[in-house]
Amino acid sequence: MTRNEYVPFLSEILDVKKHTEIEYTFRMAFEGEVRPGQFFEVSLPKFGEAPISVSGIGEGYVELTIRRVGKVTNEIFEKYTGEKLLLRGPYGNGFDVNDYKGKELVIVAGGTGVSPVRGVISYFAEHQDERKSETIITGFKSANDILFREEFADWRNKMNVILTLDAGEETPEHRIGLVTAFIPDLKFEQIENAAAIVVGPPAMMRFSVKALLDRGLKEEQIWISQERKMCCGLGKCGHCRIGEKYVCLDGPVFNYSEGKNLID
């Protein structure tokens, strides 16, 4: 019997990790195939549901990093280890690590944009022989807003990490400035063998992609995540439709050569 994609299933909260006052990672019980960049609809009866990107994948679980910004997420933050949430998914088109194997990989992420690419970063951190090189440029408003601190400490030993803050004093751990300021200085052995992923606020993505194109990458070498107005997850409600594409169904991950046209 085919499972009804509209019907959510109960998932136990295996662990809750606090990053900031408004951003927690919930480790949820899950068995099945899932890719970084896909998302689940997380729901609570009487409160509604919200699309949340997958920020971690493991044996018997997925991790969902949630920002407390509204009615649904406020209520989710009242749930603790051992309790349950309703999930639907995974939905959408995620990142395929095969697209980046053997490449000089650059990942540019702003704020919570680190969440959907965390799985890609971690994969190549643990499979360094499968990529030529790996550089991540991540930006946060302040030191208090940094996500995945423990992972950053580990990643520094396995790749080139540029962690930036909007303001403050520079330290050995982070630089000051926008992520776009560090793209022109990227070094490539063979620019034609480079690949880039850009995820974050729309303005940051727009200027980061422009800087990568100016640096010499072609549109086909860049991937983006268009997390825009996703609602049903199945391409039925039409909230996320742009032209002939449904972001929740055809995306949210797009190659830039296609995603550049998704402007409304």
Side-chain angles (χ1 to χ4, degrees):
M1 182 176 178
T2 303
R3 182 171 68 88
N4 188 332
E5 291 293 329
Y6 279 110
V7 178
F9 54 88
L10 277 174
S11 174
E12 182 180 351
I13 301 173
L14 303 177
D15 187 41
V16 180
K17 170 74 172 181
K18 179 179 178 180
H19 301 291
T20 73
E21 291 302 317
I22 61 168
E23 287 151 326
Y24 290 14
T25 291
F26 289 75
R27 179 171 289 187
M28 307 300 303
F30 178 74
E31 297 285 350
E33 293 186 6
V34 60
R35 284 182 180 177
Q38 289 188 299
F39 66 97
F40 284 83
E41 293 283 353
V42 183
S43 63
L44 287 168
K46 300 181 181 180
F47 292 94
E49 65 180 4
I52 306 295
S53 295
V54 172
S55 63
I57 303 167
E59 190 68 35
Y61 71 85
V62 293
E63 292 183 333
L64 307 174
T65 300
I66 301 174
R67 171 177 277 187
R68 188 173 192 161
V69 293
K71 182 173 68 172
V72 179
T73 51
N74 283 345
E75 191 64 22
I76 291 173
F77 268 43
E78 299 302 317
K79 298 295 183 180
Y80 302 96
T81 301
E83 297 188 77
K84 292 181 171 63
L85 293 171
L86 288 166
L87 304 182
R88 290 195 291 119
Y91 294 128
N93 175 42
F95 294 104
D96 185 347
V97 296
N98 292 308
D99 289 329
Y100 317 113
K101 289 182 177 180
K103 305 289 187 180
E104 298 180 53
L105 178 61
V106 176
I107 298 175
V108 185
T112 54
V114 177
S115 298
V117 295
R118 178 186 174 213
V120 179
I121 297 171
S122 297
Y123 178 85
F124 286 107
E126 299 307 318
H127 301 83
Q128 298 177 54
D129 59 322
E130 295 186 21
R131 41 80 162 168
K132 186 74 173 178
S133 64
E134 186 173 5
T135 296
I136 60 173
I137 307 174
T138 58
F140 298 94
K141 289 183 178 180
S142 72
N144 293 328
D145 299 302
I146 298 173
L147 305 178
F148 312 118
R149 293 175 184 272
E150 293 83 359
E151 281 91 338
F152 271 105
D154 178 60
W155 294 339
R156 289 182 189 281
N157 298 319
K158 298 175 178 178
M159 67 194 73
N160 180 28
V161 174
I162 303 172
L163 193 158
T164 76
L165 304 180
D166 290 353
E169 297 291 332
E170 288 200 1
T171 73
E173 287 73 36
H174 63 257
R175 311 279 293 275
I176 301 300
L178 301 179
V179 293
T180 49
F182 302 92
I183 294 175
D185 295 330
L186 289 172
K187 299 293 190 290
F188 297 102
E189 289 186 15
Q190 294 179 304
I191 195 75
E192 63 273 14
N193 192 44
I197 297 171
V198 181
V199 185
M204 169 253 155
M205 291 176 62
R206 183 167 63 253
F207 288 107
S208 295
V209 168
K210 183 181 184 303
L212 287 165
L213 293 172
D214 290 344
R215 182 62 186 79
L217 273 75
K218 293 181 171 57
E219 292 179 351
E220 297 77 20
Q221 294 174 273
I222 303 172
W223 282 258
I224 60 174
S225 182
Q226 295 269 55
E227 297 178 7
R228 170 212 178 270
K229 298 181 180 178
M230 295 187 298
C231 189
C232 72
L234 294 165
K236 301 299 183 183
C237 72
H239 281 79
C240 68
R241 182 177 177 179
I242 306 177
E244 297 302 315
K245 297 292 184 181
Y246 292 86
V247 174
C248 71
L249 201 61
D250 301 302
V253 174
F254 293 93
N255 184 269
Y256 182 70
S257 60
E258 180 181 27
K260 68 177 181 178
N261 300 313
L262 302 180
I263 300 174
D264 60 340

